[in-house]
Amino acid sequence: MGRKFDISYVIDFIPKLLSYLHVTLFIVAASILLGLVIGLLVALPRLYNVPALKQISQVYVSFFRGTPILIQLFLVYYGVPELFKLIGIDLSRTDVLVFVILTYAMNSGAFISEAIRAAINAVDRGQVEAAYSIGMNGYQAFRKIILPQALAVSVPVFANLVIANLKDTSLAFSLGAMEMTGKSQTLGAATQHFVETYISLTLIYFVISMGLERLFRSAERRLLRHEKTDQATQNEPKSFRRFGRRQLVADIRKGG
């Protein structure tokens, strides 16, 4: 049992935990960036129906989506060095953060691949065919037609993935990684004020998660602003739109 609750410890613990925030954010940023690369590589065989690779990517996604992240951490931390021993490479001195980032990257890659696949499939195929009909090549159609719409569709999903990844980093301490949760365990054991420690940790995670949510929501609004403009134009009365077009033609003829 811990000592009697004291609110002053909550305030005192926050700056001590924040001193390890950079480690947590580094794990999140590195694993998401690497996960984007993995997710793209995993999504491509399923998007283009590459026979053998498609089945491999499906197994990969099913495994990382269907098993707990804690088990994945232990499998990577203890299993990868054993695999490398077979080819004569010793990873016993490798920093634990390498295994933590690798695990979260592979886990995120599985979810990101599904987000990429769903976002690209959500774009109307007729728009792509229309782009080809006016002379665009595959790269131009992807960059100008598919990518902007796919990004707008995938932002909410990607935001959830990043926030979930942030919260999942709290399990990294189980391998001995000294990030915020690992530091909270040390503070709790040293002071016997465990409740205060976890309240401080909760407040930090909550504020960061809310900040990320607002950031992604702002990005989503920017990506969808053209759709709102189009929708507003479609909702205008037909007589108003005809008047607007006539006025525009008149201004052009006058040189306005």
Side-chain angles (χ1 to χ4, degrees):
M1 295 292 293
R3 295 180 180 176
K4 184 178 179 180
F5 181 82
D6 187 347
I7 189 65
S8 64
Y9 278 93
V10 175
I11 301 171
D12 184 51
F13 287 156
I14 288 177
K16 294 179 180 179
L17 294 175
L18 284 174
S19 65
Y20 287 83
L21 176 62
H22 68 284
V23 180
T24 298
L25 295 181
F26 176 72
I27 295 172
V28 174
S31 61
I32 289 295
L33 289 175
L34 186 55
L36 283 169
V37 177
I38 295 172
L40 181 61
L41 294 176
V42 173
L44 287 175
R46 302 182 71 182
L47 286 170
Y48 292 98
N49 291 317
V50 181
L53 295 178
K54 180 180 178 180
Q55 281 73 27
I56 295 174
S57 67
Q58 288 175 334
V59 172
Y60 175 89
V61 171
S62 297
F63 174 79
F64 281 97
R65 292 180 67 187
T67 56
I69 185 68
L70 183 61
I71 303 302
Q72 295 168 20
L73 281 167
F74 288 130
L75 281 175
V76 172
Y77 183 67
Y78 293 108
V80 171
E82 292 299 321
L83 289 176
F84 274 87
K85 280 182 181 179
L86 298 176
I87 56 176
I89 299 177
D90 183 16
L91 298 180
S92 60
R93 296 182 181 273
T94 305
D95 194 306
V96 68
L97 281 180
V98 174
F99 298 106
V100 169
I101 291 171
L102 179 61
T103 304
Y104 285 116
M106 291 191 296
N107 181 272
S108 298
F111 289 92
I112 290 173
S113 71
E114 291 295 282
I116 292 173
R117 194 169 63 90
I120 291 177
N121 288 334
V123 178
D124 185 8
R125 185 63 188 174
Q127 297 183 37
V128 181
E129 293 173 354
Y132 291 149
S133 69
I134 62 173
M136 286 188 182
N137 56 36
Y139 172 74
Q140 290 173 326
F142 179 81
R143 184 171 62 87
K144 296 182 178 181
I145 305 297
I146 298 176
L147 186 59
Q149 297 182 71
L151 283 175
V153 171
S154 63
V155 164
V157 179
F158 185 71
N160 289 335
L161 287 174
V162 173
I163 293 173
N165 187 285
L166 170 68
K167 292 184 290 186
D168 285 342
T169 58
S170 61
L171 295 173
F173 83 94
S174 60
L175 297 184
M178 186 54 69
E179 38 75 65
M180 287 197 300
T181 306
K183 181 61 177 178
S184 71
Q185 297 294 311
T186 304
L187 288 173
T191 62
Q192 294 299 302
H193 285 276
F194 290 99
V195 175
E196 294 88 335
T197 304
Y198 293 133
I199 291 175
S200 301
L201 190 63
T202 300
L203 291 174
I204 293 172
Y205 275 115
F206 178 76
V207 170
I208 297 172
S209 296
M210 290 300 100
L212 288 173
E213 185 177 344
R214 292 176 66 88
L215 180 65
F216 281 113
R217 191 176 299 167
S218 175
E220 183 184 6
R221 283 197 296 265
R222 289 180 61 86
L223 288 169
L224 292 175
R225 66 185 184 276
H226 65 282
E227 291 188 6
K228 294 180 180 179
T229 303
D230 293 343
Q231 186 178 4
T233 303
Q234 291 173 3
N235 291 335
E236 291 176 354
K238 292 183 178 179
S239 59
F240 181 81
R241 293 202 297 268
R242 285 197 297 269
F243 172 78
R245 287 195 290 269
R246 288 198 300 269
Q247 185 65 43
L248 177 61
V249 172
D251 290 342
I252 292 173
R253 287 176 178 174
K254 291 178 183 178

